[in-house]
Amino acid sequence: MDRRAIAISGIVQGVGFRPFVHGLANRWQLSGFIRNVDGGVRIEVEGDPRALDGLLDALIQSLPPLARIETLDWSSQPVQGDRSFRIDPSATDNGVPIFLPPDVGTCDDCLAELFDPRDRRFRYPFLNCTHCGPRLTIIVGSPYDREQTSMAAFAICEACRAEYENPSDRRFHVQPIACPECGPRLQWLDASGHPVSGIVDPIGAAVEALNDGRIVAIKGLGGYHLAGLARLSETVAELRRRKHRDEKPFALMVRDLDAGRALCEVSAQEGALLHSPRRPIVLLRRRPGIEIANDVSPGDPWLGLMLPYTPLHHLLMHDLGGQALVMTSGNRSDEPIAHEDRDAVERLSGIADAFLIHDRPIHLRCDDSVTRVVAGAELPIRRARGEAPRPIRLPIACDRPMLALGGQLKATFALGRGPHAFLSHHIGDLDHCLSFAAYEKSIAHYERLFGISPEVLVHDLHPDYASTRLAERIAGDRPRIVVQHHHAHIAACLAENGVSGPVIGLAFDGTGYGTDGTLWGGEFLVGDGNDFRRAAHLRPVALPGGDRAIHEPWRVATSYLIDAGEDPSILGDDVATAAIEAVARMVERRWNAPMTSSAGRLFDAVSAIAGVRRRVSYEGQAAIELEWRAAEVNDDGGYPFDIGPGDSPGTSWILDTRPTIAAVADDLRLGIETARIARRFHSMMIDAILEICVRLREETGIGSVAISGGVFLNAILSAGAIARLEGEGFRVYRHRLVPPNDGGLALGQLAIAAARLRNGGG
Ligand code: ZN
Ligand code: ZN
Ligand code: FE
């Protein structure tokens, strides 16, 4: 007989960990107890030493799907002669869970019940268990029990209670436990949001409406979706028209992996992502000739697919007989996704022909996550449902609790406590007032849920970001740490890789505020998680019209052409000569034309010159479509470029793009196909990245490179840069957990602030 005390930290509360250990202890005939403690669980077990070893092995090897062990320590204890194994009530809890699980897609066990006519939850659209179901989106406050979730209004029935209280049941202490007797119910509403009388089967009504080509608003986990059959051109075109959704692609839901493979090429790795409990939207290469309406994603060689992740989705997709469904977030263009019932009906009436809703409130709005596989690893695009608020371990722990407010676009924020960063779900662009309201509300909500009262605030250097202004407004006498935008990008990449530098950091994005007051965005920083210097950057050009240039890439193209000594009238086929001349004057007189070294704008400019896109309906569209074209041909070498000496202290090199732009203009005049121009430009960027990194390594001896910034969502650029850098012996750090775009900024801000506090600065 032996007794051991085992202390485990990590995501082990609210994920079925205690019943799991209870089951193991019974299997190995061990006695003792398990209880929740601050940040983890404490187990004491006694019995045969070999059985104790077996339990420890099983703990590590066969965890419940949602559990994550961070640390496990054990020590021997005097034997106490317990007779059985028990689960202690959480009397020692201080009421605040250290970790909260994200929402999780329906598990296989629940799915089997859903389609089993003998099960009491047969076709019940809200079944869930320890291993799956809603979490973050239904939690109202702490401690995490039923009274503090949006299930509080549903009185639990006797059958459910028996499961809830049985430690060997899959639904032991599952807060959202529900069944047809006691749980949420569906409702079918007409276009104006009124219940339709006489409907006994709302799913049947929805399937019929969808098959008739109608647009149905469907209430999901973190918000409403607008749905329509993906093969019906008129339906999808009508949805796009009613939603005012410019040209951003719509995501599709497919019944299962096989249905996904029928539409797209799906590698084993992509299949695993699609099928993972997180159930993100995965960007996949579409197959030729598939029966999908053109308006789903016009001209796009990729399709965003996801699998059903709630029982309701599974029932719908099953009853639709395998037809793919457009599932786009329920909002008008640029607004946050609708999640409150009355608000949803109000905002979506005029878009939806009918509503499939239910009476379980969504407490926290949360979009679908979006991701893709690049160079053999996941590259997240939007981190939201299924991922947030899973903690990320910081390389340097926060000595004081902190709040990092992130950026302006694709906003997220992050709370830091000790070694953990809790990065919020994607919220949206803060220049929209509804998004800003959601952002402010979510910050308060996370602070309450995690019991974190920030003593330090961290924000971007940009004085006009809504996040910066909020930090100033709420700081009071709390210190603020200000972080340069591109430094935060690099620090985010380092943090998720668990390192703190030194590194050569490539931060390529739209724009961010530089320490010299100009707009940066094509930066080679040398530094670490604490400080940096701007070692090299793209040659700055004027950005005529400032933000207007984002939607009219021909403006920045004009600027680049003038800079390279080329005649901007070559843009003339679809931009008025007078407009080009007006912009040329702005550039020459530096009137409303701030200087920028943005890599994103360079991609825009080349896209516009090559004739891929001269006007766009959303930021980054010109660059994205340039990548589509580049993928159509093979590499035959890159355009020329120059590397000149730096023009300010600390800056060693400037990447001079004038030869590049001149060569693009030459190819255009020669009538070279746009795909070829696009490819040669991508190759030039990869060549230039390698050349500058080699020079900086010679200068500094630093052989590690971190790549970050939204431009690195470009798969050709990322994969090419990684392969060439690794080929030259560099160690390359890239994003796998958080997006390289501004959705990851808050994590980097937090990492830098933690490092500065540790160094006594700040
Ligand atoms: Zn389940
Ligand atoms: Zn029940
Ligand atoms: Fe950025």
Side-chain angles (χ1 to χ4, degrees), residues 35-304:
R35 72 168 67 112
N36 281 344
V37 296
D38 226 10
V41 294
R42 179 179 175 87
I43 306 168
E44 289 195 19
V45 272
E46 66 181 53
D48 182 86
R50 273 169 309 173
L52 290 169
D53 288 342
L55 175 110
L56 274 172
D57 279 351
L59 268 182
I60 294 160
Q61 281 165 19
S62 57
L63 281 180
L66 305 185
R68 298 275 185 286
I69 289 184
E70 281 211 337
T71 61
L72 186 153
D73 298 300
W74 66 271
S75 56
S76 290
Q77 298 276 310
V79 171
Q80 292 186 9
D82 290 314
R83 292 231 193 92
S84 63
F85 190 86
R86 61 183 197 278
I87 295 177
D88 273 6
S90 306
T92 54
D93 282 6
N94 62 4
V96 179
I98 300 292
F99 301 113
L100 284 171
D103 299 299
V104 178
T106 309
C107 74
D108 289 346
D109 288 338
C110 285
L111 206 53
E113 291 172 348
L114 187 65
F115 290 106
D116 177 1
R118 289 156 309 175
D119 195 276
R120 75 186 187 93
R121 292 187 177 87
F122 174 58
R123 289 188 64 89
Y124 180 57
F126 303 96
L127 90 173
N128 61 76
C129 75
T130 278
H131 308 310
C132 73
R135 297 289 189 274
L136 177 68
T137 53
I138 59 162
I139 300 176
V140 175
S142 50
Y144 173 51
D145 58 30
R146 190 165 170 110
E147 276 56 57
Q148 293 288 352
T149 71
S150 56
M151 289 296 292
F154 298 89
I156 189 168
C157 75
E158 250 171 69
C160 285
R161 176 161 304 282
E163 295 168 328
Y164 183 89
E165 288 173 351
N166 177 2
S168 56
D169 194 279
R170 210 170 86 243
R171 296 189 167 93
F172 177 68
H173 281 196
V174 168
Q175 307 309 342
I177 189 172
C179 77
E181 284 304 306
C182 67
R185 283 167 202 209
L186 290 173
Q187 211 180 6
W188 179 246
L189 310 180
D190 65 17
S192 48
H194 299 300
V196 181
S197 60
I199 296 287
V200 285
D201 175 17
I203 292 178
V207 167
E208 198 185 316
L210 289 165
N211 276 324
D212 282 351
R214 294 207 278 157
I215 295 164
V216 179
I218 300 173
K219 185 174 178 181
L221 264 187
Y224 277 70
H225 283 109
L226 288 160
L229 284 189
R231 62 179 175 81
L232 300 179
S233 302
E234 276 170 39
T235 303
V236 181
E238 183 62 15
L239 174 57
R240 197 168 278 286
R241 196 183 63 72
R242 290 188 198 168
K243 229 190 134 177
H244 304 293
R245 186 167 170 103
D246 38 59
E247 289 158 303
K248 277 186 200 165
F250 290 146
L252 302 186
M253 184 174 276
V254 289
R255 183 173 56 183
D256 51 27
L257 269 180
D258 283 341
R261 289 194 189 99
L263 298 178
C264 295
E265 291 166 31
V266 184
S267 70
Q269 198 174 13
E270 289 163 338
L273 262 180
L274 271 175
H275 200 260
S276 74
R278 295 187 274 142
R279 295 283 161 121
I281 296 169
V282 183
L283 295 196
L284 300 162
R285 201 171 286 280
R286 70 195 287 167
R287 292 188 188 280
I290 52 173
E291 205 193 331
I292 293 294
N294 182 56
D295 271 313
V296 166
S297 54
D300 191 344
W302 302 86
L303 267 182

Side-chain angles (χ1 to χ4, degrees), residues 15 34 66 70 206 400 432 461 469 571 610 617 710 713 717 720 729:
V15 292
I34 178 169
L66 305 185
E70 281 211 337
R400 297 164 73 185
H432 199 289
L461 181 61
R469 295 223 177 108
L571 297 169
S617 61
L713 285 174
L717 182 72

Side-chain angles (χ1 to χ4, degrees), residues 592-608:
N592 189 19
M595 296 303 284
T596 184
S597 56
S598 163
R601 295 293 92 79
L602 172 60
F603 274 79
D604 282 357
V606 172
S607 181

